[in-house]
DNA sequence: TTATATTGTCTTCCATGGAAGCTAATATGC
DNA sequence: GCATATTAGCTTCCATGGAAGACAATATAA
C-alpha cells in the first residue's frame, strides 16, 4: 500500500479501509485509497482556503464571483448568467450571491442597454480593491499549502490530476478519439 | 506545463489561469494548477458517486452514517456523538441525519442503559440490507472511476495524496496540544 | 451531601444552494 | 403585426448543515 511505509500511523482513510476489509472481505475497497483521500484532502485544503476568505469578510461563493469579475478585465463586468456558468452554480444561487455583494457595496447591478431582460454586474472601486488584496493573499495561501510537496511531487500530482480530470469530463475517448 | 501536451484543449482551470496571468501578471498562480484541479476533480467524482446514493434513495450524509454503522460490525450500533465524529459533522447535523434515517426505518434510536443522556443508534434489518447493497454498488462505481487511470498512475496518485494529506492534517487533539 | 462543571443530545435559528416556476423582454413564425 | 416560444433573471420553497444554546444526566469538588 503506497505511503504506508515505516510504520507511520494509519490515516483516517486507511482505518476506514481496515474496517471494511474486516466487515466486507468480499469487496475490493482499494479505490477508496485514492478517492477517499482525494476528497479528504480537498476538504482540508478547502478549510485552509476559507480562512483567507473569512479574513476579508467573504464567503467562498462571493469570493468566486469577485474573482470571475476581476478576471473579466476592464471594466470588470459580466452578466449574472455568465457568472453562474463560470462559477458553476444555478442562476438562482447567483442572484443571492449578487444580492449579498451588492448589499456590501462590492458590486453594482444595472440593466443591459441592448437587452432589457439582462443585467450587468460590475465591480465597484472598493470591490476591485478588496478582491485584488484578497486574491493576492489567497495565492500566497495556496502556495503555502502546495509547498508541503516538493516541486517534483507537485508536478507529478498536477499531471495526474489533469489527466484524470480530462478523462472524467470526457469519459468517451477511445484510442482513435 | 504538465498534461498540456499535443495541443489538447485547455481545461477550465487552465483557462482561468490564463485569465489571471493576463490580469495579474505580478502573481504566481501556479498553485491553482494543482489545487484548482484537485477541487474540480473532487466535485466531478462526487457528482458521479451521488448517482449511486440517489439510486438507493439516500443522500450523501445518510449514506455515510449507514456506512459508519455497518463498519462498526455486529450489532451495528453507535452513539450519535461517535457517528458525528466518524462522519465529520456536528452533533446537530447528526441528529437530523438520524431523524431522517429513523423515519425511513433504516435505523432505530434508543437510550443507553449505562448513561441515560446517551443514545444508541442501530441499523435495522432493512437498513443493513440496504447499505450492503448500496455499498457494493458504490465500490463498483469507485472502481469504474479509478479505472480511468492506469494501475501505475493510480498508485502514484495514492502515494502523493497520502503524503500531502499527512502533511496538511493538523493534530486534532482537543486539549493540551 | 450539595453545589458546580461537564457531557451527550437535541433544538433553534441562520446561511447557503438547488429545483422549479414566475415575469418581463426578446425572438420567431405565420 | 400578432401569437407563441424562448430567454434572463428572480422568487419561492425546500434540503442540508453550522453555531450556539437548552436541557437532562452524570461527574467532580467542597
Amino acid at each position: 500500500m503506497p505511503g504506508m511505509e515505516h510504520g507511520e500511523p494509519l490515516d483516517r482513510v486507511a482505518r476506514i479501509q481496515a474496517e471494511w476489509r474486516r466487515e466486507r472481505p468480499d469487496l475490493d475497497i482499494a479505490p477508496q485509497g485514492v478517492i477517499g483521500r482525494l476528497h479528504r484532502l480537498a476538504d482540508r485544503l478547502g478549510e485552509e482556503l476559507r480562512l483567507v476568505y473569512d479574513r476579508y469578510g467573504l464567503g467562498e461563493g462571493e469570493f468566486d464571483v469577485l474573482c470571475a469579475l476581476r478576471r473579466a478585465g476592464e471594466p470588470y463586468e459580466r452578466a449574472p448568467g455568465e457568472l453562474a456558468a463560470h462559477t458553476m452554480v444555478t442562476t438562482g444561487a447567483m442572484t443571492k450571491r449578487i444580492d449579498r455583494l451588492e448589499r456590501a457595496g462590492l458590486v453594482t447591478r444595472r440593466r443591459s442597454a441592448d437587452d432589457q431582460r439582462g443585467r450587468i454586474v460590475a465591480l465597484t472601486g472598493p470591490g476591485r480593491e478588496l478582491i485584488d488584496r484578497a486574491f493576492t493573499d489567497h495565492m500566497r495561501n495556496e502556495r503555502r499549502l502546495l509547498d508541503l510537496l516538493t516541486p517534483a511531487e507537485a508536478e507529478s500530482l498536477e499531471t495526474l490530476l489533469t489527466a484524470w480530470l480530462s478523462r472524467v469530463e470526457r469519459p468517451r475517448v477511445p484510442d482513435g478519439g
Side-chain angles (χ1 to χ4, degrees), chain A:
Chain A
M1 195 185 314
M4 291 290 105
E5 61 280 350
H6 26 71
E8 263 184 59
L10 293 184
D11 66 11
R12 166 181 298 270
V13 173
R15 264 177 273 125
I16 289 172
Q17 285 184 301
E19 295 185 351
W20 277 122
R21 280 199 202 89
R22 174 168 46 78
E23 293 297 319
R24 294 294 305 270
D26 57 312
L27 293 182
D28 167 26
I29 43 74
Q32 277 197 333
V34 182
I35 296 178
R37 284 194 184 87
L38 186 114
H39 279 108
R40 179 82 193 99
L41 184 55
D43 285 351
R44 282 293 296 117
L45 294 175
E47 280 173 36
E48 295 291 325
L49 299 184
R50 243 168 278 126
L51 297 177
V52 170
Y53 310 148
D54 285 351
R55 203 177 299 156
Y56 294 88
L58 296 170
E60 193 167 351
E62 286 123 38
F63 181 85
D64 280 354
V65 172
L66 294 180
C67 283
L69 286 168
R70 181 63 184 79
R71 286 202 315 275
E74 293 261 33
Y76 312 119
E77 295 183 344
R78 259 176 181 159
E82 286 174 344
L83 292 170
H86 276 82
T87 64
M88 328 242 322
V89 293
T90 61
T91 62
M94 186 50 57
T95 296
K96 294 176 221 172
R97 288 181 176 184
I98 297 168
D99 287 346
R100 296 194 292 270
L101 289 168
E102 194 178 30
R103 225 177 299 128
L106 301 173
V107 307
T108 57
R109 191 154 33 181
R110 65 174 197 274
R111 302 196 94 90
S112 162
D114 327 326
D115 183 338
Q116 289 294 116
R117 284 171 306 186
R119 305 296 162 95
I120 296 173
V121 180
L123 270 186
T124 61
R128 157 78 193 273
E129 200 177 295
L130 183 75
I131 194 57
D132 272 349
R133 283 188 295 123
F135 189 74
T136 302
D137 209 349
H138 174 65
M139 270 304 119
R140 251 198 305 270
N141 196 28
E142 287 205 344
R143 169 54 67 189
R144 170 182 70 85
L145 294 163
L146 187 62
D147 280 349
L148 294 170
L149 296 176
T150 67
E153 285 174 330
E155 182 177 326
S156 240
L157 186 54
E158 180 166 346
T159 301
L160 289 164
L161 294 173
T162 302
W164 199 6
L165 187 54
S166 76
R167 293 171 206 169
V168 172
E169 300 212 334
R170 299 190 301 274
R172 215 125 303 157
V173 188
D175 299 52

